[in-house]
Amino acid sequence: MKARHFLDIWPLPASELRSILNEAKSRKAARSGFPKGTLDVDTPLSGHVLAMIFEKSSTRTRLSFDMGIRQLGGTSVVLNAADMQLGRGETIEDTAKVLSRMVDAVMIRANNHEDVLKLSECADVPIINGLTNRSHPCQIIADMQTLEEHGLDLKGARIAWVGDGNNVAASFAHAAPKFGYSLAIGTPSSHRLDKKDIERARAEQGRIDEYDTAEEAAAGADVIVADTFVSMGDLDAERRLKVLSPYAVTPELMAIANPGAKFLHCLPAHRGEEVHADVIDGPQSLVFDEAENRLHAQKAILQWCLAA
Ligand code: CP
Ligand code: NVA
């Protein structure tokens, strides 16, 4: 049987994404008050091993997958890409075959999205995209969970993405038709999302509005989302900081959004660059619930992949 990969939001049916999200919520509720190292009562992935490959740095993704697989009854092994034979020229095909013989699933954070797709084509076990240059689908499940927990009805909600049209922005666009929110994107023309990502959302009747300013995107928004102006792998930091600085989320920008609008940021954040400290550390910010929900979301993703 073909393995069930979690590579991107856009190819997955809305019903599957909804069931992953609901599983994340019910699993979180079921272990409320448990010490962090205590296993979930049902340990559905007992005996399973997750390999994690990192070509780039990570705090949340690494911790949440590691704690997540343990709480589900399994174990993990971390492979630093720099120490693997992959870095010395071993092919992705051979790496995929070897991994498939020894572990039950692989989570990879990679520089090139195409490498993750190739890995998934050659592996017999589920491959999970833990962030690439193109997308960050796991983040979206945690973000949707956070917004619903804070009372937002995603259907008909207006979410504003301001700043760089990066990997996380692409996944926000992919998820718009799946969860029924409209996405207002405020970016400079030099940092727009890839047209393909917008088209993917629109092909499923997702509403995506693109603006040249943060203010236009923020008007009437229920949520404002920011991310770093310089992603891992970006080489032009100085220019980016200059071009993107008018897109910083300030208290003034939050005031343009709907009253009580929420603030999200996948973290790591840079106070004084993409977000003002008064916003990220203020009452409208959900960033630490969002970070915690990575754990609950990863568990639901792992289960979905391995249930097949
Ligand atoms: N948000 C996120 O993916 O964080 P890390 O880079 O720390 O994993
Ligand atoms: N856009 C950021 C997200 C980090 C979680 C990056 O790719 O570095």
Side-chain angles (χ1 to χ4, degrees), residues 235-249:
L235 301 173
D236 49 348
E238 207 178 313
R239 196 179 58 82
R240 288 177 154 270
L241 291 176
K242 203 164 151 203
V243 175
L244 290 163
S245 64
Y247 297 81
V249 181

Side-chain angles (χ1 to χ4, degrees), residues 94-105:
D94 288 358
T95 304
K97 285 180 188 155
V98 173
L99 286 164
S100 300
R101 298 286 180 111
M102 294 198 208
V103 301
D104 298 292

Side-chain angles (χ1 to χ4, degrees), residues 32-233:
S32 166
F34 283 24
K36 296 182 178 70
T38 305
L39 305 189
D40 286 6
V41 173
D42 55 345
T43 58
L45 296 187
S46 169
H48 286 74
V49 181
L50 171 72
M52 301 196 280
I53 303 175
F54 288 97
E55 291 182 359
K56 312 190 197 198
S57 310
S58 169
T59 297
R60 281 143 289 268
T61 305
R62 177 174 173 165
L63 249 180
S64 57
F65 270 106
D66 197 357
M67 291 306 294
I69 187 82
R70 284 197 226 184
Q71 290 180 1
L72 294 169
T75 53
S76 72
V77 50
V78 178
L79 300 165
N80 186 346
D83 300 331
M84 291 175 73
Q85 298 289 13
L86 196 55
R88 296 184 56 248
E90 185 166 20
T91 64
I92 293 177
E93 289 91 328
D94 288 358
T95 304
K97 285 180 188 155
V98 173
L99 286 164
S100 300
R101 298 286 180 111
M102 294 198 208
V103 301
D104 298 292
V106 179
M107 190 287 299
I108 177 163
R109 170 164 285 195
N111 291 313
N112 293 314
H113 193 76
E114 302 308 319
D115 289 351
V116 177
L117 298 184
K118 179 95 185 160
L119 189 68
S120 71
E121 281 157 21
C122 303
D124 300 322
V125 297
I127 304 297
I128 300 171
N129 172 1
L131 182 148
T132 67
N133 56 325
R134 300 282 323 127
S135 61
H136 195 4
C138 296
Q139 182 72 47
I140 293 298
I141 304 295
D143 289 6
M144 297 299 117
Q145 182 179 356
T146 307
L147 293 173
E148 286 196 348
E149 280 176 357
H150 284 270
L152 189 76
D153 183 359
L154 294 171
K155 248 189 192 45
R158 188 147 180 86
I159 299 183
W161 175 277
V162 294
D164 184 21
N166 65 13
N167 45 2
V168 183
S171 290
F172 260 97
H174 300 160
K178 310 291 184 180
F179 292 100
Y181 59 82
S182 68
L183 188 67
I185 307 173
T187 58
S189 56
S190 51
H191 290 80
R192 291 246 161 91
L193 271 80
D194 195 314
K195 274 198 172 53
K196 212 191 276 173
D197 293 312
I198 307 275
E199 282 160 13
R200 276 174 179 144
R202 289 185 179 152
E204 291 189 59
Q205 282 71 56
R207 180 166 167 197
I208 312 283
D209 299 312
E210 293 183 278
Y211 300 100
D212 292 328
T213 66
E215 288 75 14
E216 287 168 288
D222 302 301
V223 183
I224 295 189
V225 194
D227 188 15
T228 180
F229 289 158
V230 186
S231 284
M232 292 180 278

Side-chain angles (χ1 to χ4, degrees), residues 241-305:
L241 291 176
K242 203 164 151 203
V243 175
L244 290 163
S245 64
Y247 297 81
V249 181
T250 57
E252 292 73 31
L253 191 74
M254 290 303 292
I256 296 176
N258 286 343
K262 310 296 185 199
F263 174 75
L264 290 184
H265 189 309
C266 65
L267 305 180
H270 310 80
R271 288 167 177 78
E273 291 181 11
E274 74 273 11
V275 61
H276 195 287
D278 289 348
V279 173
I280 193 166
D281 300 319
Q284 289 166 278
S285 172
L286 306 182
V287 300
F288 294 110
D289 285 348
E290 183 184 6
E292 178 193 330
N293 283 337
R294 294 296 305 281
L295 168 63
H296 310 293
Q298 316 301 31
K299 290 166 73 177
I301 292 166
L302 284 166
Q303 268 191 286
W304 179 83
C305 287

